[in-house]
């Protein structure tokens, strides 16, 4: 893929993102969201920090993530374009307003530390290369080119991935490879994940988990 085609795709994507954002704008209320989040703490924990479970189903940190991004994810899970079998029973019962409320609640919680990525220095360096510079021999674009400076996210379309648990990042890349997650605009992530080896996935997940989620 040439960089020209990627940039063209991004233009379309940003246009589409704005259009759909206007259609589903429901104002969330963090206080109501706290009450509705009572069943979420079993996995995402009381501080929204989630948990890294190496080799298992890691629970993502939700604290400090973009609210509109989480709204989209919860709708995608309900619709099935993102498979999350263990979470589904808890999300299925939420209506649109409750989805906006829980997302508002988690987005204003302070960011917690990420865990995981028990890898050697060589793997970490490989992870840093992929995240910041990509690997043109493997047709892997740098993560930063979409996920933004510091891989800390851009708007509601490109989520922050720095400071997220390594186990969760790995699981998502495998989910895209295997088609269990197919909710990304224009298959942007699916295309990248399918070009990555298991070693590269572990390396980039470990490096990203070692980075700060925000500059604050
Ligand atoms: C049984 C454990 C469990 C419970 C309970 C649970 N979740 Fe999750 N949640 C998960 C897992 C696992 C994932 C990752 C799913 C995947 O692999 O795609 C996830 C992902 C998410 C995401 C996407 C985060 C991202 O960065 O894309 C959001 C948002 C979320 N959960 C919100 C909630 C809310 C709100 C509740 C309560 C109503 C809830 N979860 C209850 C396990 C759980
Ligand atoms: C061409 C743009 C693009 C590039 C390059 C890119 N991503 Fe993404 N990524 C996205 C988009 C868009 C989403 C949100 C998908 C959605 O709406 O569910 C995403 C989501 C993710 C998520 C899920 C985050 C969450 O909390 O749900 C992970 C993990 C991720 N990307 C990892 C990576 C890694 C690692 C790289 C570099 C190897 C990378 N991405 C490169 C566009 C990109």
């Amino acid at each position: 893929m040439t960089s020209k085609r990627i940039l063209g795709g991004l233009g379309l994507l940003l246009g589409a993102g704005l259009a759909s954002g206007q259609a589903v704008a429901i104002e969330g209320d963090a206080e109501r969201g706290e009450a509705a989040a009572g069943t979420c703490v079993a996995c995402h924990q009381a501080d929204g920090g989630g948990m890294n479970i190496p080799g298992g189903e890691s629970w993502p940190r939700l604290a400090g993530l973009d609210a509109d991004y989480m709204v989209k994810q919860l709708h995608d899970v309900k619709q099935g374009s993102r498979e999350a079998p263990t979470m589904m029973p808890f999300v299925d019962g939420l209506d649109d307003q409750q989805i906006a409320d829980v997302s508002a609640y988690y987005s204003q919680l302070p960011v917690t530390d990420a865990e995981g990525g028990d890898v050697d220095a060589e793997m970490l360096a490989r992870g840093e290369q992929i995240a910041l510079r990509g690997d043109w021999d493997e047709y892997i674009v740098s993560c930063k080119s979409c996920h933004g400076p510091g891989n800390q996210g851009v708007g509601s379309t490109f989520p922050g991935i720095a400071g997220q648990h390594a186990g969760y990042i790995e699981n998502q890349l495998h989910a895209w490879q295997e088609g269990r997650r197919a909710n990304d605009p224009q298959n942007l992530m699916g295309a990248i994940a399918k070009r990555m080896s298991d070693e590269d996935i572990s390396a980039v997940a470990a490096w990203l988990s070692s980075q700060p989620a925000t500059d604050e």
Side-chain angles (χ1 to χ4, degrees):
M1 199 188 278
T2 65
S3 53
K4 218 174 179 181
R5 271 180 62 194
I6 293 167
L7 289 175
L10 287 184
L12 282 176
L13 171 65
L14 290 174
L18 286 176
S20 65
Q22 281 159 359
V24 292
I26 296 179
E27 183 112 20
D29 180 282
E31 252 173 68
R32 276 201 312 258
E34 183 170 13
T39 61
C40 318
V41 299
C43 298
H44 295 287
Q45 308 299 301
D47 62 359
M51 195 176 285
N52 188 62
I53 306 172
E57 180 190 78
S58 290
W59 302 317
R61 166 179 57 81
L62 304 180
L65 296 187
D66 181 85
D68 290 337
Y69 180 73
M70 288 193 276
V71 167
K72 174 184 180 290
Q73 298 309 311
L74 291 169
H75 284 289
D76 290 347
V77 167
K78 270 182 86 168
Q79 280 164 14
S81 60
R82 177 172 180 181
E83 291 176 29
T86 58
M87 178 164 78
M88 184 61 169
F90 302 92
V91 170
D92 209 22
L94 301 179
D95 63 24
D96 291 358
Q97 183 64 58
Q98 286 170 316
I99 285 180
D101 292 345
V102 286
S103 301
Y105 169 63
Y106 280 116
S107 73
Q108 48 88 54
L109 290 181
V111 169
T112 56
D113 288 342
E115 289 164 30
D118 187 16
V119 303
D120 61 23
E122 201 182 320
M123 282 271 271
L124 264 190
R126 173 66 180 162
E128 177 176 10
Q129 181 202 341
I130 294 169
L132 299 184
R133 297 181 296 282
D135 183 341
W136 288 105
D137 292 341
E138 306 286 336
Y139 297 100
I140 300 171
V141 199
S142 75
C143 315
K144 191 182 100 175
S145 63
C146 287
H147 289 280
N151 283 293
Q152 293 173 345
V154 182
S156 304
T157 306
F158 301 102
I161 51 176
Q164 183 57 276
H165 299 303
Y168 171 73
I169 295 175
E170 282 193 45
N171 287 348
Q172 295 312 297
L173 292 168
H174 287 298
W176 266 304
Q177 284 184 332
E178 293 156 17
R180 284 178 283 115
R181 182 167 176 176
N183 65 333
D184 47 327
Q186 300 177 20
N187 193 30
L188 287 174
M189 276 309 302
I192 292 167
K194 289 191 178 102
R195 288 195 288 267
M196 293 181 76
S197 66
D198 288 353
E199 291 71 32
D200 279 350
I201 286 178
S202 300
V204 79
W207 189 77
L208 286 167
S209 75
S210 74
Q211 297 301 300
T214 69
D215 285 333
E216 285 147 33

